[in-house]
Amino acid sequence: MPETPQREAGGGFTVRRRLHAGAERVFAAFVEPGKLEQWFVVPGHHTPADRMRVDARPGGRLDAVMISDADGAEIPFGFVYADVDPPRRVVLRFQEPRELVTVTLSDAPGGVDLTYEFVSWPGPADEKASQRGVDDMLDLIAAGIRQGRI
């Protein structure tokens, strides 16, 4: 059964964005290492595709490492693909901290509307900063689409 965010049990937010690409292309950004490396980063780090293992099916995992641009320090991370319904929906479940991200894609004029629902338990300590981080990552997806990398 697909997981859905339960905000009353935690905290979170929803971000919506129109992207100028088809649903298949945007969906690939969440399941293909070469596309994930374009946007699944934090400032000052990179996430190389050749250091990712992706099993994009319900119950499958992504395991990867973020590498510091300053000193090469590595931060391993991963998540479970809680639900995968190509090319319309993907749900990512993180254990530490406990988070659930639900991405849905729906057809729109000139592309797709992406809805990014984020819930964490407990809620984010700084919700505005968390939302800015998501906005930054979605900006990288949009840039990757424009530049033909996604």
Side-chain angles (χ1 to χ4, degrees):
M1 180 165 171
E3 295 190 40
T4 57
Q6 299 296 316
R7 288 197 183 173
E8 57 275 1
F13 53 85
T14 300
V15 176
R16 290 179 176 77
R17 183 76 64 97
R18 176 143 314 153
L19 296 170
H20 300 290
E24 292 82 7
R25 189 170 169 195
V26 176
F27 183 85
F30 293 89
V31 299
E32 294 180 15
K35 296 181 180 6
L36 279 157
E37 82 174 337
Q38 303 297 317
W39 69 272
F40 207 92
V41 297
V42 295
H45 293 77
H46 62 283
T47 308
D50 66 353
R51 299 287 305 274
M52 289 184 205
R53 288 183 316 195
V54 177
D55 181 6
R57 62 182 171 84
R61 288 191 53 84
L62 174 138
D63 289 294
V65 61
M66 283 191 190
I67 301 173
S68 169
D69 297 333
D71 63 10
E74 296 186 0
I75 304 168
F77 71 94
F79 58 78
V80 171
Y81 284 98
D83 189 33
V84 180
D85 183 14
R88 299 292 173 199
R89 175 180 153 96
V90 62
V91 181
L92 316 175
R93 185 177 60 235
F94 298 82
Q95 294 300 326
E96 291 295 325
R98 192 169 158 229
E99 300 171 346
L100 192 68
V101 172
T102 303
V103 176
T104 56
L105 303 170
S106 56
D107 293 331
V112 295
D113 284 338
L114 178 146
T115 302
Y116 187 108
E117 296 178 82
F118 172 86
V119 180
S120 66
W121 299 270
D126 185 342
E127 188 171 310
K128 289 183 194 265
S130 293
Q131 189 166 345
R132 275 192 308 275
V134 169
D135 281 328
D136 290 347
M137 288 190 293
L138 295 178
D139 287 346
L140 290 172
I141 291 174
I145 289 167
R146 283 192 307 275
Q147 296 164 1
R149 294 180 286 122
I150 292 178

